[in-house]
Amino acid sequence: MSTALDQTRAAISPPGDDDPRRYEPLTRLRLEHPEAVAEAAAIRRRHPGALYGRQNFIIAADHAARGALAVKDDLRAMADRRDLLDRLRIALADPAVDGVLASPDVLDDLLLLGALEGKQIFGSMNRAGLPGLVNEIDDRFTGHTAAALAALGATGGKMLTRIAFDDAATTSMLESTAQAVDALHAHDLVAMVEPFISRSSGARVVNDLSTDAVVQSVAIAQGLGASSANTWMKLPVVAEMERVMAATTLPTVLLGGEPTGATDETLETWRSALRLPGVQGLTVGRTLLYPDGGDVAAAVGEAASLLQNPAAAPAADATSPAPAGAKEEDR
């Protein structure tokens, strides 16, 4: 590890310090040593890989890049990057957490901080469909590319796929999603597709969370790309999840969605869904990063207790990182 990267990590205080200058060494490192991001990715210890029967637990942190900063009544909850990084570091410190789903800026911060040792990395690929934008459904790919994720040694990339039958931009977005799936597969990376049937409602796009709509979205999304060999679904928990999971044989992770009710009530809704065949775990963000009462560690621990993981994951190889394009089973 370079002296600059090592010194930066040593200089940054643990989460809980409210000094407004606590991440200043990170900004200095970015200014003087931008190559440190690639260095941190190259030396990072990799996750041992996904195994059926051991459910994945991924923390999502790509909301801010879409301008979605609100959590319940706090419209600017995610606006403070220092606070967000503190919360992410607490969550990722739990050994039950397998990794993170993040936009490039957040992911680079976490790499520089050394918070992703032994973790899976999923990059967020399309971020242009800003809430309230006049052409919100035209959700172009402005984030991670497949090549960039391969260079970082990532597990895969995630794409939000909103299918709006009342918006002509849906056709081009489906095409772009298919191309992203193909690009990820070409690098032996997972394509995590998050589909919704959506519609315009005033100035916003809303997702249809009826069981029939979710089933229809799965049917469409799992057929995108020239191959589904390395495609996962990322799906909401809705009524009659048995019917939803009967619609696919692809590995599926459950998303948390926008938190509305009490944190403990939300966690309880995930319990039965996690028992269904094909459900490979959770990919959750705001519900756990901004829980009622503010105890991130406790919320993450409670969510981890819902997962079906009868045996601990095999230890990751800490001696030599795999090549950037290596498959997860080789890491």
Side-chain angles (χ1 to χ4, degrees):
M1 185 186 302
S2 73
T3 301
L5 185 58
D6 191 32
Q7 289 177 342
T8 298
R9 291 179 176 179
I12 294 176
S13 57
D17 184 349
D18 59 0
D19 183 349
R21 302 175 71 92
R22 64 190 181 278
Y23 285 107
E24 191 172 30
L26 186 62
T27 303
R28 177 174 180 173
L29 181 67
R30 281 178 165 278
L31 176 68
E32 297 180 351
H33 299 280
E35 73 282 356
V37 172
E39 178 190 353
I43 64 176
R44 181 182 68 88
R45 176 167 51 89
R46 307 295 173 82
H47 188 274
L51 294 173
Y52 194 81
R54 184 184 186 282
Q55 292 182 320
N56 294 278
F57 189 5
I58 307 297
I59 300 296
D62 59 343
H63 313 83
R66 197 180 286 277
L69 303 175
V71 180
K72 295 185 179 178
D73 295 332
D74 187 346
L75 300 182
R76 294 291 179 266
M78 301 189 76
D80 189 326
R81 180 53 55 88
R82 299 163 301 182
D83 178 60
L84 175 60
L85 289 175
D86 285 346
R87 293 169 183 270
L88 283 167
R89 291 167 69 195
I90 292 169
L92 289 164
D94 190 317
V97 173
D98 290 287
V100 70
L101 162 61
S103 53
D105 54 322
V106 175
L107 186 58
D108 291 347
D109 278 344
L110 293 173
L111 282 168
L112 292 172
L113 290 168
L116 298 179
E117 293 301 304
K119 305 295 185 182
Q120 293 182 353
I121 289 175
F122 287 91
S124 193
M125 301 181 75
N126 57 328
R127 297 281 87 192
L130 307 182
L133 196 67
V134 64
N135 58 340
E136 184 176 341
I137 287 296
D138 188 6
D139 194 2
R140 302 186 189 187
F141 284 69
T142 57
H144 283 112
T145 64
L149 289 169
L152 290 175
T155 305
K158 168 254 182 178
M159 60 219 75
L160 178 62
T161 307
R162 291 178 293 186
I163 303 158
F165 292 103
D166 61 354
D167 195 311
T170 294
T171 303
S172 62
M173 284 313 305
L174 290 176
E175 181 182 36
S176 297
T177 300
Q179 291 169 348
V181 169
D182 289 345
L184 288 165
H185 287 179
H187 287 283
D188 292 326
L189 299 178
V190 171
M192 183 186 287
V193 184
E194 179 183 354
F196 291 97
I197 301 297
S198 306
R199 68 179 187 280
S200 298
S201 178
R204 295 201 61 182
V205 171
V206 296
N207 300 323
D208 186 341
L209 296 180
S210 67
T211 305
D212 286 342
V214 175
V215 168
Q216 185 182 32
S217 75
V218 172
I220 295 168
Q222 66 188 347
L224 296 173
S227 170
S228 64
N230 211 14
T231 299
W232 294 8
M233 290 284 102
K234 181 171 181 270
L235 301 176
V237 177
V238 297
E240 298 181 83
M241 277 302 291
E242 296 86 354
R243 285 210 290 130
V244 173
M245 292 310 302
T248 185
T249 57
L250 299 182
T252 298
V253 292
L254 306 177
L255 62 91
E258 185 172 351
T260 52
T263 300
D264 56 351
E265 294 174 357
T266 301
L267 292 172
E268 190 59 32
T269 65
W270 301 339
R271 186 184 300 275
S272 59
L274 284 164
R275 301 299 183 263
L276 295 174
V279 174
Q280 190 59 32
L282 291 170
T283 302
V284 181
R286 290 170 289 183
T287 299
L288 301 181
L289 292 174
Y290 298 86
D292 297 337
D295 192 336
V296 175
V300 170
E302 187 174 354
S305 72
L306 303 178
L307 300 173
Q308 296 204 88
N309 291 333
D317 180 4
T319 58
S320 57
K327 295 183 180 179
E328 275 298 306
E329 57 267 26
D330 296 329
R331 294 177 180 170

